[in-house]
Amino acid sequence: MTVYINRVGSAPDFDALPIAKLLDYPGEKRDFRPFAQAQFALGEKALFVRLMAFEVDPDPQSRLSVALEGGVLLSCFPGGRLEELGGGGLGAKAQEIGSEDLQGIYWGADLALPLAPLSNRLGRTPAVGMTMRGNVFKSLHGGKTGRD
C-alpha cells in the first residue's frame, strides 16, 4: 500500500493528515484484530509518526511498530514505552496517547524521529517526493490475546 507523507512545519496537526489502516497483525489470534492506524508527517527537524490501536485494556505485551528502510524499527507499548530495535541510535522520542473518540477507546504514541540520525541510517535525507520503503504493524506474542 502506498502512504503519502505530508510536509509540515515544526509539528504536525494529525487531525488534518491522511490515515493508513493497518492490515497486518502478526502474532494476533485469528479472531482478534483491533482496528489500528498510522499517520506520517515530515517536519523541519523530524519525521513524525502517529500509531494508534482501538483496543480497550490492551495487553502489556501488545505493540505498534514502524519499520523503515535502513534497518529502522521502532515499537511502542501501552504505557508509553518505546523500543528502538535495528541498531537503535536514532534518539527517537515517544509521547503516549490514548483517549476515546467516535471510533472508540484507543492507545498509541506520537513518535518523533530526528532527521539527522535518520538520514544517516537511510543514507539520504528524507525530502518531498522521495520514496521510502517500510511497514507498520500491530502485534502481540504471548499474553491474553496473542499466540504463545
Side-chain angles (χ1 to χ4, degrees):
M1 167 182 13
T2 300
V3 176
Y4 294 96
I5 300 175
N6 289 36
R7 179 80 168 128
V8 297
S10 59
D13 175 7
F14 285 110
D15 290 336
L17 294 177
I19 293 172
K21 179 181 176 187
L22 277 65
L23 303 174
D24 190 15
Y25 291 83
E28 298 282 9
K29 288 187 177 176
R30 185 178 211 177
D31 61 344
F32 185 75
R33 302 269 195 274
F35 177 67
Q37 64 190 37
Q39 294 173 284
F40 295 86
L42 180 60
E44 297 165 350
K45 296 182 180 180
L47 174 67
F48 299 100
V49 181
R50 173 173 276 186
L51 302 171
M52 296 170 60
F54 288 84
E55 186 176 24
V56 177
D57 190 28
D59 190 288
Q61 297 179 60
S62 188
R63 70 176 70 195
L64 290 163
S65 303
V66 59
L68 301 174
E69 62 185 69
V72 175
L73 177 58
L74 299 162
S75 293
C76 67
F77 298 83
R81 183 169 62 94
L82 176 67
E83 211 173 81
E84 267 191 57
L85 305 167
L90 289 175
K93 304 284 185 219
Q95 173 67 45
E96 180 183 18
I97 59 171
S99 188
E100 184 173 4
D101 66 11
L102 296 174
Q103 296 179 43
I105 296 172
Y106 64 88
W107 69 275
D110 288 342
L111 309 178
L113 289 68
L115 286 184
L118 179 61
S119 299
N120 290 337
R121 290 289 287 282
L122 297 174
R124 58 200 167 126
T125 301
V128 173
M130 180 181 116
T131 299
M132 185 181 339
R133 297 189 53 84
N135 198 358
V136 181
F137 50 95
K138 159 83 174 64
S139 61
L140 173 65
H141 296 278
K144 62 186 178 192
T145 57
R147 293 185 189 146
D148 295 325

